[in-house]
Amino acid sequence: MASDHTRSAILAAAERLYADRGFGDVTLRDIVAEAGVNLAAVNYHFGSKDELIAELFVTRSIATNRERLRELKAAEEQGGGRAPIEVILHALVGPTLRGCLGPENQRSTAARFMIRASIESVPPIRRIKNREIDHLRKFAGAMRRSLPDRSEVEIYWGLNFALAMAHHTIRESERLTKLSEGKCDLDDVEDVVERVVSVATMALTAGRTEAKAPAKIAAR
């Protein structure tokens, strides 16, 4: 139990410090001082700073991805195996936006950590994002069933753009608030979700105009 308590204390301290100060400014010595443990405990439980960051990110991501897949499964069951594209996109971006935006969530350590993870590109998080894609394949499959007239390439681009809009909104929420002088209400999270889903849906369902190949410029 003592070992479990030490591990939990390290994780909690690291998450608080990373959320407040970012990944680059926090050292392992900062973490052990905050947790009230010695440096050997971090090495014993995690091995390195990168492994500690990875475990925190995986723990938070698993919860979000489970919620995504739970909503997707419910939508497809209700639709007899085929859900409307808007509902699929809600399941894809809703949990992420709800987890990070809104006055209550933005104050939580977990939300601030995930916002920091979205803003700062650090190697352990990049590796996890590039490796853990099975849940996104399930969304791509659901999107193909929903839009059988769209090619696989269009589906993947549409999924990527929906995720990009959600993450950019999280990263740049403060700038958007200032730019719009408060007219864009980032505290109304369900409105934010609806706006992202609406634009992503339009991109996937609008008639696609084939791009013309650019004319070659003759060498002078």
Side-chain angles (χ1 to χ4, degrees), residues 16 41 62 75 94 108 113 117 119 126-127 137 154 161 182 196 206:
R16 284 194 302 273
I62 285 173
S108 77
F113 173 82
I119 294 171
R126 284 200 304 272
R127 286 193 291 268
R137 293 192 189 282
E154 288 173 313
F161 289 149
V196 171

Side-chain angles (χ1 to χ4, degrees), residues 15-49:
E15 188 171 51
R16 284 194 302 273
L17 290 172
Y18 290 139
D20 290 340
R21 292 165 45 187
F23 298 107
D25 290 341
V26 176
T27 67
L28 287 181
R29 293 190 182 279
D30 294 328
I31 294 169
V32 298
E34 178 79 5
V37 301
N38 58 46
L39 190 58
V42 177
N43 293 328
Y44 173 77
H45 286 287
F46 303 100
S48 68
K49 179 180 176 179

Side-chain angles (χ1 to χ4, degrees), residues 189-208:
V189 183
E190 292 308 316
D191 180 65
V192 175
V193 174
E194 290 295 336
R195 289 180 184 279
V196 171
V197 168
S198 176
V199 174
T201 300
M202 284 191 290
L204 279 162
T205 59
R208 184 174 184 274

Side-chain angles (χ1 to χ4, degrees), residues 111-180:
R112 289 186 295 110
F113 173 82
M114 291 304 285
I115 292 169
R116 183 73 69 175
S118 183
I119 294 171
E120 296 185 27
S121 181
V122 293
I125 291 177
R126 284 200 304 272
R127 286 193 291 268
I128 293 166
K129 285 183 175 180
N130 291 334
R131 184 180 70 231
E132 302 298 329
I133 58 174
D134 285 349
H135 68 290
L136 296 179
R137 293 192 189 282
K138 292 178 181 178
F139 274 94
M143 291 166 71
R144 284 195 295 272
R145 289 188 289 275
S146 181
L147 300 173
D149 60 323
R150 289 293 185 260
S151 71
E152 276 195 294
V153 170
E154 288 173 313
I155 292 295
Y156 286 127
W157 275 117
L159 187 152
N160 183 66
F161 289 149
L163 291 173
M165 279 190 287
H167 287 294
H168 184 80
T169 300
I170 291 167
R171 286 194 300 268
E172 304 296 343
S173 59
E174 184 177 354
R175 184 171 69 166
L176 178 57
T177 300
K178 290 180 179 178
L179 177 65
S180 68

